[in-house]
Amino acid sequence: MPLPSFIKDRSKASALPMKSKKASSFHEFARNTSDAWDIGDDEDEDFTSSSSSLQTLNSKVAKATAAQVLENHSKMRVKPERTQPALSEVPTNCKVNKSSSEAQLSRMSEETCVRTPLQKQQSLPLRPVIPLVARISDQNASGAPPMTVREKTRLEKFRQLLSSHNTDLDELRKCSWPGVPREVRPVTWRLLSGYLPANMERRKLTLQRKREEYFGFIQQYYDSRNEEHHQDTYRQIHIDIPRTNPLIPLFQQPLVQEIFERILFIWAIRHPASGYVQGINDLVTPFFVVFLSEYVEEDVENFDVTNLSQDVLRSIEADSFWCMSKLLDGIQDNYTFAQPGIQKKVKALEELVSRIDEQVHNHFRKYEVEYLQFAFRWMNNLLMRELPLRCTIRLWDTYQSEPEGFSHFHLYVCAAFLIKWRKEILDEEDFQGLLMLLQNLPTIHWGNEEIGLLLAEAYRLKYMFADAPNHYRR
């Protein structure tokens, strides 16, 4: 099937006025920072009800925007490992503040009517490229050592389970909790997500049928992106796609961006209760990388997908769509109007932290840091923007093994993640320093070991608190 052409959208680079005088220190902080990842990350997107619309905490890595904040803060405390702020979409009861760097990304105004095919963005702001240390496929921050005897035994166990006439899904989940070997991850994820049947004989036909069904949706619906009632949806998707993992060359390839546009647009119009919401674009990437790794042995991050056949690309695209859809089925209230699922989870995180670490909780209260200001993104993007992609893939091995992993268990992972930084949090003694830290946690060198420890602590918290809501209450 020939690949359709795409149109390029324009974005507007104007910032809405901030609320005056009564503005909190958070608003002042937001005014002095801009964002490196999401360049103009909010295009008229409502995250909350009209009584509390959202404020985007932008933090572009550009010297001019953050220099003053960093300089003032460094006079009080030197943090040699601190990098400049990363992406954020932090809601407050202010209006959305659009990034001043949006014009730099698009270099065009919204009034321009001419549309051109989507292509790789050439105007991303200059920034130091942080070495990713390890390939996505390796996942170990220290590189991939030779397979140990234990790892070979685990891989053999997976292969036995996957090749049986009817795969024991409970046993597969148990084996997958501590991580899935790269060699068997694609088929394991398809099974754990519920996309592929446990019965071996039905798998091939199921894949064929579901892939054909997805491309049937493309034929049926994709041309409607040009219709007036779908323009806002398509426009926002088109703007967000180039911002997806901007430091990884794979996701800046035009062909990959076209695939993501189709996946997100078809999902959005098939789920009108929520439609497309910023953040959903990130959720495609782990599936895409895992299913791509089935055909690529080399470095996935730099692989040129034009080297693959159209049939292979179609299979990767369809499988990514269906598995992402299965994931979102369990957390769709995160993306419906006012995003009640996220607001509820942020409140639950605040309650949980108040019980497991009263000192950290009171520290936030003392300096007027609201959990919504940093944890909204943790829930909206499932920590994807706090962790390297290789770590997200490992995390999702466990999420797909846990009952309600992406919703319920994620709460405990977020709590464990926050407490992991308790010393750094307690060392900060002003609002700006806390927000700078929480929006810029130093995880770039994390690998399997750090994720394993995080998951173990999350499991401990779940065991202690999930079934005992009044346990350890202050």
Side-chain angles (χ1 to χ4, degrees):
M1 167 182 167
L3 297 175
S5 60
F6 297 84
I7 58 176
K8 182 162 187 172
D9 220 311
R10 317 295 180 194
S11 59
K12 187 160 142 188
S14 59
L16 296 179
M18 302 288 296
K19 280 193 176 176
S20 68
K21 213 51 199 150
K22 189 79 174 148
S24 70
S25 55
F26 171 69
H27 302 150
E28 296 166 8
F29 170 77
R31 218 183 275 119
N32 283 283
T33 56
S34 56
D35 187 57
W37 190 324
D38 270 357
I39 301 166
D41 197 39
D42 293 284
E43 284 293 325
D44 308 319
E45 191 68 59
D46 289 329
F47 286 121
T48 62
S49 61
S50 58
S51 62
S52 64
S53 51
L54 305 180
Q55 164 70 32
T56 295
L57 168 61
N58 290 319
S59 47
K60 172 192 169 192
V61 182
K63 295 179 183 177
T65 51
Q68 190 61 50
V69 174
L70 292 172
E71 182 182 351
N72 292 343
H73 190 61
S74 65
K75 291 176 183 176
M76 297 180 284
R77 182 174 299 100
V78 177
K79 299 282 184 181
E81 76 282 0
R82 180 69 50 81
T83 57
Q84 294 183 33
L87 160 128
S88 54
E89 307 108 342
V90 179
T92 68
N93 49 8
C94 254
K95 290 183 178 180
V96 170
N97 182 36
K98 299 182 184 179
S99 167
S100 61
S101 62
E102 190 167 341
Q104 188 177 8
L105 175 67
S106 63
R107 293 184 178 176
M108 302 167 188
S109 68
E110 194 174 46
E111 288 72 32
T112 306
C113 297
V114 180
R115 295 176 181 258
T116 57
L118 178 69
Q119 54 190 308
K120 179 178 176 180
Q121 294 290 340
Q122 299 295 337
S123 54
L124 288 172
L126 294 175
R127 56 181 294 169
V129 177
I130 304 169
L132 294 176
V133 185
R135 301 182 306 173
I136 293 173
S137 55
D138 291 338
Q139 293 184 292
N140 298 303
S142 58
M147 190 177 287
T148 64
V149 173
R150 182 175 176 273
E151 288 169 336
K152 287 179 180 177
T153 303
R154 288 193 72 236
L155 179 57
E156 185 57 35
K157 173 69 172 173
F158 271 93
R159 284 178 169 153
Q160 288 176 2
L161 279 168
L162 297 172
S163 62
S164 61
H165 183 68
N166 281 292
T167 298
D168 184 337
L169 294 180
D170 289 336
E171 187 64 25
L172 185 63
R173 290 187 187 96
K174 192 184 301 181
C175 290
S176 300
W177 207 100
V180 180
R182 178 182 186 268
E183 295 85 347
V184 293
R185 183 176 277 126
V187 65
T188 300
W189 275 27
R190 289 187 190 104
L191 284 161
L192 292 180
S193 68
Y195 172 47
L196 209 57
N199 184 279
M200 170 72 80
E201 294 176 357
R202 293 175 51 211
R203 289 179 196 168
K204 186 176 180 180
L205 284 175
T206 299
L207 283 177
Q208 182 180 340
R209 177 174 56 83
K210 297 299 284 184
R211 289 166 180 171
E212 288 176 357
E213 185 179 355
Y214 168 72
F215 281 98
F217 294 152
I218 296 291
Q219 289 182 321
Q220 184 176 355
Y221 299 119
Y222 196 62
D223 284 344
S224 69
R225 69 190 185 280
N226 298 314
E227 296 173 7
E228 185 64 31
H229 59 292
H230 289 320
Q231 276 293 291
D232 288 344
T233 295
Y234 180 70
R235 179 174 174 274
Q236 188 60 61
I237 291 170
H238 191 88
I239 289 170
D240 288 347
I241 293 298
R243 304 172 186 156
T244 305
N245 290 301
L247 293 182
I248 299 178
L250 173 69
F251 299 109
Q252 298 308 305
Q253 296 177 40
L255 190 55
V256 173
Q257 294 185 352
E258 291 169 7
I259 287 171
F260 275 50
E261 278 202 350
R262 287 198 293 275
I263 289 173
L264 294 170
F265 183 77
I266 296 302
W267 187 87
I269 63 174
R270 294 189 74 245
H271 295 81
S274 62
Y276 173 75
V277 175
Q278 288 173 308
I280 295 178
N281 55 308
D282 289 327
L283 305 184
V284 184
T285 58
F287 292 115
F288 185 82
V289 165
V290 167
F291 297 140
L292 177 62
S293 71
E294 197 167 19
Y295 304 94
V296 178
E297 291 186 7
E298 63 227 65
D299 183 352
V300 177
E301 293 173 359
N302 295 297
F303 181 76
D304 183 354
V305 297
T306 60
N307 293 323
L308 296 175
S309 70
Q310 192 176 77
D311 284 346
V312 166
L313 285 172
R314 284 165 61 92
S315 296
I316 294 169
E317 178 176 346
D319 292 357
S320 298
F321 169 82
W322 286 115
C323 288
M324 184 200 74
S325 297
K326 293 284 188 181
L327 185 165
L328 286 168
D329 284 348
I331 57 171
Q332 195 172 349
D333 64 342
N334 283 11
Y335 305 104
T336 52
F337 178 75
Q339 298 185 264
I342 288 179
Q343 299 203 51
K344 183 179 177 182
K345 285 165 189 166
V346 170
K347 194 68 182 172
L349 178 66
E350 180 175 359
E351 168 65 14
L352 184 58
V353 172
S354 73
R355 290 155 63 194
I356 62 180
D357 199 321
E358 188 175 6
Q359 190 177 3
V360 166
H361 179 70
N362 288 337
H363 195 69
F364 285 152
R365 295 180 67 180
K366 179 179 179 180
Y367 295 105
E368 300 181 342
V369 173
E370 300 290 338
Y371 284 76
L372 203 62
Q373 290 166 349
F374 62 89
F376 177 88
R377 189 174 80 185
W378 296 11
M379 302 300 177
N380 191 57
N381 300 89
L382 297 176
L383 286 176
M384 285 192 65
R385 298 192 178 181
E386 324 311 316
L387 299 169
L389 184 52
R390 61 180 177 269
C391 294
T392 295
I393 290 171
R394 166 63 191 92
L395 192 66
W396 284 20
D397 287 343
T398 299
Y399 279 7
Q400 294 190 92
S401 309
E402 272 281 321
E404 299 181 310
F406 290 98
S407 53
H408 185 63
F409 189 60
H410 180 66
L411 170 67
Y412 296 94
V413 171
C414 287
F417 186 66
L418 181 63
I419 301 307
K420 164 81 173 71
W421 310 102
R422 77 180 308 276
K423 181 183 182 302
E424 291 84 350
I425 288 169
L426 295 175
D427 281 348
E428 295 291 350
E429 295 181 345
D430 63 66
F431 176 88
Q432 291 184 356
L434 281 164
L435 263 293
M436 294 280 279
L437 171 68
L438 291 166
Q439 291 296 322
N440 213 18
L441 293 165
T443 63
I444 189 63
H445 297 298
W446 276 30
N448 282 350
E449 184 178 351
E450 289 81 3
I451 295 299
L453 291 171
L454 180 69
L455 288 166
E457 177 62 12
Y459 188 82
R460 186 184 73 85
L461 293 176
K462 179 189 173 190
Y463 182 80
M464 291 173 64
F465 293 97
D467 299 319
N470 296 313
H471 201 36
Y472 293 108
R473 184 178 291 279
R474 289 180 285 120

